Amino acid sequence: KIAYPFYRTKKMNLFRFYCSVLICTLQQNACGRIAAFSPQPSPLTKQILHHTHIFSTKSSPFKHFDGLPIREDALTTALYATNKNKEDKFSFKQRIESIKTAVIGLAAGGVASTPFIFLHDVLFPVDSSYTSGFSSWEFDTDMGSLQAALFAIVYRYCVREEDDNEMLNMGVVGAFVVVRTLSRVHVPSYCTAAPLDCGDPLGYFDFNMIQQLVLNGLESAALFAGTAAAMEYAYERNWVSKFPN
């Protein structure tokens, strides 16, 4: 409706025509009127092309508007540019890239975190009721590898092509570290509730819980930072591609 009045003007030049098509395309994209995977032009696009006499039975690749030649293939490329970009983001190739990313995260996360998990579960166990030495080490390493695989996929979706902001990388890693660290803290049985009081030195956190925070924090930092470093290395080696913007 915004662009249509311009097409009734016989003296409109080629520049105004392309501007009108661009306005209409952006309007459709903002309103969600163009289907992401639709191979056909929308009704409004057909109406525009009809009134500008782009659809023609002539065999020449050049169509005429107001006496000026216009390549139909160039116009079609411009009209479908938004749909093509959306389709490429969720193509079969991108699914393969996600599988490769998960494999890299699975291997890198397990290798990077297993020494710190061994330190936590075997050498300095906080509570024997929650840890059982080598069995806990094996289980936590396996679960950490799965967490790293999922993190690698999320990392690829967050840090995309042309994103050179280091704070974004650190923010993604930090968010996962904080969530994993806090979720693995166990409240000792001697703590009292409402309000929570576990004793010295902070009341809410005693020495036992602080030790859990430190050890779990080291585990999580090694797990996710190591996975992020492996992803950046894979990007440089072209083993996996960044997700497009």
Side-chain angles (χ1 to χ4, degrees):
K1 294 181 180 180
I2 295 177
Y4 180 73
F6 293 107
Y7 293 95
R8 302 184 63 180
T9 304
K10 294 297 182 180
K11 296 181 179 181
M12 182 184 68
N13 56 26
L14 183 60
F15 175 76
R16 292 177 61 189
F17 167 71
Y18 280 126
C19 289
S20 301
V21 171
L22 178 61
I23 291 174
C24 182
T25 303
L26 293 176
Q27 182 192 16
Q28 293 182 56
N29 184 45
C31 297
R33 294 179 182 176
I34 296 181
F37 303 100
S38 175
Q40 299 295 330
S42 65
L44 183 56
T45 303
K46 289 182 178 180
Q47 185 180 15
I48 292 175
L49 295 177
H50 174 74
H51 285 283
T52 54
H53 308 288
I54 295 300
F55 289 150
S56 176
T57 58
K58 296 180 180 180
S59 60
S60 173
F62 289 92
K63 310 303 176 185
H64 290 78
F65 171 76
D66 198 19
L68 297 175
I70 302 172
R71 284 194 65 90
E72 184 177 13
D73 56 350
L75 178 61
T76 303
T77 301
L79 289 174
Y80 293 148
T82 302
N83 286 352
K84 182 177 182 299
N85 291 337
K86 289 182 179 180
E87 184 175 0
D88 289 342
K89 290 183 179 181
F90 304 100
S91 63
F92 181 76
K93 177 183 177 181
Q94 292 300 327
R95 297 177 184 177
I96 297 299
E97 293 297 311
S98 295
I99 294 175
K100 292 160 56 178
T101 299
V103 173
I104 293 173
L106 186 75
V111 172
S113 63
T114 188
F116 297 92
I117 297 176
F118 180 84
L119 183 71
H120 184 190
D121 291 343
V122 179
L123 298 183
F124 300 101
V126 177
D127 191 343
S128 59
S129 62
Y130 293 110
T131 59
S132 57
F134 288 97
S135 299
S136 295
W137 177 40
E138 179 182 354
F139 178 80
D140 290 342
T141 300
D142 293 342
M143 295 303 103
S145 298
L146 292 177
Q147 294 169 10
L150 296 176
F151 166 78
I153 297 175
V154 175
Y155 184 86
R156 180 172 178 265
Y157 280 113
C158 292
V159 183
R160 303 186 178 189
E161 290 180 350
E162 302 177 0
D163 288 337
D164 298 326
N165 188 352
E166 294 183 358
M167 296 302 296
L168 176 61
N169 303 30
M170 295 173 59
V172 177
V173 174
F176 275 77
V177 169
V178 170
V179 171
R180 184 180 186 274
T181 299
L182 296 179
S183 65
R184 288 175 58 84
V185 175
H186 299 286
V187 178
S189 59
Y190 52 78
C191 294
T192 59
L196 182 65
D197 186 7
C198 296
D200 296 332
L202 301 177
Y204 198 91
F205 290 101
D206 66 346
F207 287 107
N208 180 285
M209 297 175 69
I210 292 175
Q211 183 182 358
Q212 293 184 59
L213 286 172
V214 172
L215 293 176
N216 285 310
L218 289 175
E219 283 182 21
S220 301
L223 177 66
F224 298 123
T227 303
M231 288 295 299
E232 294 297 332
Y233 183 80
Y235 291 150
E236 294 177 0
R237 297 284 181 172
N238 293 323
W239 293 347
V240 64
S241 63
K242 286 190 173 183
F243 193 74
N245 280 316

